[in-house]
Amino acid sequence: MYESGCVIFTHDVLSVPMTKISKNKTSLKSARDLFALWPSIVVFADDIAVPYVTAQMMRYRGSIAPRHWPAVVAAAKRRGFTGITLELLLSLRSKQKQSSQKSERGNAEQTPRHAQAG
């Protein structure tokens, strides 16, 4: 059911902002945005046929392992989400890796030299 720019899932108490996805331009900026398309992490896990704890760890890490990408693309298609492709998942993973590398470099720069010698 659609109401005032939000998707309301009547079987769940979850309300998430509408995300417009098209083939040409997507508003997904991270794996977390992708997870938000599903009504819950339990439903996401069921849709891609992984244990709940696996889906939970994906969401926690903010990344989806490449071996799960085909299942994610197929599940998104079944749910009517357009624009979720292997290329998009690769792009999200690249952004996530770049972000984590920057934060690791930033942490290394903040660590005193005597602490780095170990």
Side-chain angles (χ1 to χ4, degrees), residues 63-84:
S63 125
I64 300 169
R67 71 178 169 274
H68 298 295
W69 293 357
V72 171
V73 171
K77 185 175 182 177
R78 285 191 306 272
R79 288 201 169 263
F81 306 143
T82 58
I84 308 299

Side-chain angles (χ1 to χ4, degrees), residues 92-106:
L92 294 178
R93 184 159 178 100
S94 296
K95 288 178 188 175
Q96 190 262 341
K97 283 192 177 247
Q98 288 172 354
S99 174
S100 67
Q101 287 172 348
K102 284 180 186 176
S103 100
E104 285 173 10
R105 277 191 296 239

Side-chain angles (χ1 to χ4, degrees), residues 17-99:
M18 289 280 286
T19 303
K20 293 184 181 180
I21 300 175
S22 69
K23 279 193 168 186
N24 299 328
K25 183 166 172 126
T26 180
S27 62
L28 298 179
K29 293 183 177 24
S30 70
R32 288 185 189 351
D33 293 338
L34 181 75
F35 294 122
L37 295 173
W38 269 261
S40 71
I41 197 67
V42 172
V43 174
F44 176 79
D46 287 344
D47 281 1
I48 68 166
V50 298
Y52 168 73
V53 70
T54 301
Q56 197 175 32
M57 289 307 296
M58 287 181 201
R59 183 176 64 180
Y60 174 77
R61 286 190 306 265
S63 125
I64 300 169
R67 71 178 169 274
H68 298 295
W69 293 357
V72 171
V73 171
K77 185 175 182 177
R78 285 191 306 272
R79 288 201 169 263
F81 306 143
T82 58
I84 308 299
T85 63
L86 295 174
E87 292 79 13
L88 172 69
L89 295 174
L90 177 61
S91 170
L92 294 178
R93 184 159 178 100
S94 296
K95 288 178 188 175
Q96 190 262 341
K97 283 192 177 247
Q98 288 172 354
S99 174

